[in-house]
Amino acid sequence: MTYEVTVEPTGDVIEVEEDQTILDAALRQGVWLPFACGHGTCGTCKVTVTDGDADVGEASPFALMESERDEGVVLACCAKPESDLTIEADIDVDPDFAGHPVNDYVGTVTEIRDLSPTIKGLFFELDGEMEFQAGQYINLHIPGVEGTRAFSIANKPSDSNTLELHVRLVPEGAGTTYLHNELQVGDTLDVSGPYGQFFTRKSDEQDAIFIAGGSGLSSPQSMIKELLEEGDQRKMYLFQGARNVAELYNREIFEALAEEHENFFYIPALNAPEDADNWEGFTGFVHEAAQDYFDNKFSGHKAYLCGPPPMIDAAITALMQGRLFERDIHMERFVTAADGAEEQTRSALFKRI
């Protein structure tokens, strides 16, 4: 059985199969609904059922209180229609969002590359073309691991039959341990995507600042390569942070791009270089490198931040102190299971991001 769900205030109508969640159906039909965790614990995907009936599913009582349930509020990632529905959602879709539908793919591993002592590059050939925006992510189904794991896409959208992921080994992490220690070339994994609202705002021609830490380099790599491939003339600055030279992966790629394109600038920063590194670049945290380079004056730019929560928080504070504000700051936090279920998915400084 199929139910029709009307999404207000946009008026979009989606078809939801029996036993399918509202969120899954919406994303697979290119209709954006806000969400974060995807499994009923954060409350980001709350919508209100104004007409019809829905099963609230396995929504956490902490994410969806009893009083909200009485008022018809459900979590789109858990709720399943029991009739045709009308729902109201807090939707703020960016005009640059392309809305590519989520699809399922089978990815065959073609290469596994050591990028750093803790990060591997995984390369796949997909069994179909995946349309996505640079900066978005996929969900990976890993054998023996419950649920899925999210990884940002590192390749350009024009490489639509391939998939490049940068995977950091998380201590005691079941998913990343498998990908680092057991995955072999020739293996196949199920992939779904694309997901996410982290993407380049191409309609805004302001110069762009990219700040990346750890495996958070994946999204900026995709964004920068696409913009340069398209001949975009805005100035682009990539600040890449790492502990030492060994962790400063793909450095050669960006040094070569900076040599080739006069509008691209690469500024690496090491916060704990080793004596053997003979490091002559910036020493300190990556947000400090940006402050030093721009003399604490960031207005007139778009900023894209990708990395672990402490880096994101420090970068946001630095940018806002330098007169860059919410409308021009976009981010993707890399939160793992090791960070805890209560880890915030949004900065307390922001309402929308």
Side-chain angles (χ1 to χ4, degrees):
M1 181 176 292
T2 301
Y3 299 106
E4 284 193 350
V5 175
T6 302
V7 182
E8 299 293 356
T10 62
D12 290 310
V13 178
I14 59 174
E15 293 187 350
V16 186
E17 300 293 333
E18 190 172 10
D19 207 37
Q20 183 181 29
T21 67
I22 296 171
L23 178 62
D24 183 64
L27 295 178
R28 289 179 180 276
Q29 292 167 63
V31 175
W32 172 253
L33 292 177
F35 76 100
C37 75
H39 47 75
T41 60
C42 74
T44 303
C45 64
K46 288 179 182 177
V47 299
T48 302
V49 177
T50 60
D51 186 42
D53 298 301
D55 179 355
V56 298
E58 298 180 0
S60 163
F62 299 102
L64 187 65
M65 295 183 293
E66 197 64 39
S67 59
E68 293 177 308
R69 299 172 192 236
D70 293 341
E71 295 171 357
V73 178
V74 300
L75 302 185
C77 71
C78 297
K80 300 174 182 178
E82 295 179 327
S83 70
D84 291 346
L85 297 178
T86 299
I87 62 172
E88 287 186 355
D90 183 12
I91 300 176
D92 184 16
V93 179
D94 191 285
D96 281 313
F97 180 58
H100 295 305
V102 171
N103 285 302
D104 297 317
Y105 305 89
V106 174
T108 302
V109 181
T110 57
E111 182 183 359
I112 299 174
R113 186 184 305 168
D114 288 329
L115 300 178
S116 84
T118 60
I119 299 172
K120 285 188 182 290
L122 306 183
F123 298 81
F124 299 83
E125 181 178 349
L126 300 178
D127 64 344
E129 292 191 1
M130 180 170 62
E131 290 186 293
F132 67 95
Q133 291 181 266
Q136 291 189 297
Y137 69 90
I138 56 88
N139 279 336
L140 200 62
H141 296 260
I142 302 172
V145 177
E146 184 178 358
T148 60
R149 297 294 185 268
F151 297 98
S152 293
I153 304 168
N155 52 287
K156 308 186 303 294
S158 59
D159 301 326
S160 57
N161 279 107
T162 63
L163 184 63
E164 177 183 346
L165 308 177
H166 300 167
V167 179
R168 178 176 68 89
L169 179 62
V170 177
E172 300 182 6
T176 62
T177 296
Y178 180 92
L179 296 176
H180 270 248
N181 299 336
E182 299 186 46
L183 190 69
Q184 301 291 323
V185 170
D187 288 352
T188 60
L189 294 178
D190 292 331
V191 177
S192 63
Y195 297 96
Q197 287 279 290
F198 186 62
F199 51 84
T200 315
R201 273 61 179 180
K202 294 182 181 179
S203 65
D204 190 323
E205 297 179 353
Q206 295 182 96
D207 293 340
I209 298 170
F210 299 89
I211 300 179
S215 59
L217 180 67
S218 49
S219 287
Q221 176 175 302
S222 177
M223 294 164 140
I224 291 166
K225 282 189 170 183
E226 181 190 40
L227 289 171
L228 294 176
E229 179 183 67
E230 294 175 345
D232 195 292
Q233 293 303 302
R234 78 188 74 198
K235 291 182 179 179
M236 303 167 224
Y237 306 84
L238 171 61
F239 295 87
Q240 181 187 6
R243 287 184 56 80
N244 51 50
V245 167
E247 292 289 349
L248 193 68
Y249 75 94
N250 283 0
R251 175 185 178 188
E252 297 80 4
I253 292 176
F254 296 105
E255 288 177 338
L257 289 174
E259 285 287 333
E260 184 179 352
H261 300 275
E262 61 181 16
N263 62 322
F264 174 64
F265 306 87
Y266 174 58
I267 306 94
L270 301 183
N271 68 295
E274 299 178 358
D275 292 340
D277 290 338
N278 296 315
W279 181 246
E280 296 180 356
F282 185 88
T283 300
F285 291 106
V286 67
H287 70 280
E288 296 171 333
Q291 287 177 311
D292 178 75
Y293 189 94
F294 284 101
D295 194 25
N296 291 318
K297 299 179 179 68
F298 298 108
S299 61
H301 294 83
K302 278 279 184 187
Y304 300 91
L305 320 177
C306 196
M311 187 220 82
I312 295 289
D313 291 339
I316 289 172
T317 299
L319 291 169
M320 295 186 77
Q321 288 175 345
R323 309 301 294 173
L324 197 68
F325 300 109
E326 178 181 354
R327 67 180 180 275
D328 289 320
I329 301 176
H330 308 277
M331 67 181 182
E332 185 76 291
R333 287 169 174 260
F334 275 30
V335 179
T336 70
D339 295 308
E342 296 183 1
E343 177 66 53
Q344 289 184 342
T345 57
R346 302 183 180 190
S347 168
L349 293 170
F350 286 1
K351 295 180 180 179
R352 293 191 294 107
I353 292 181

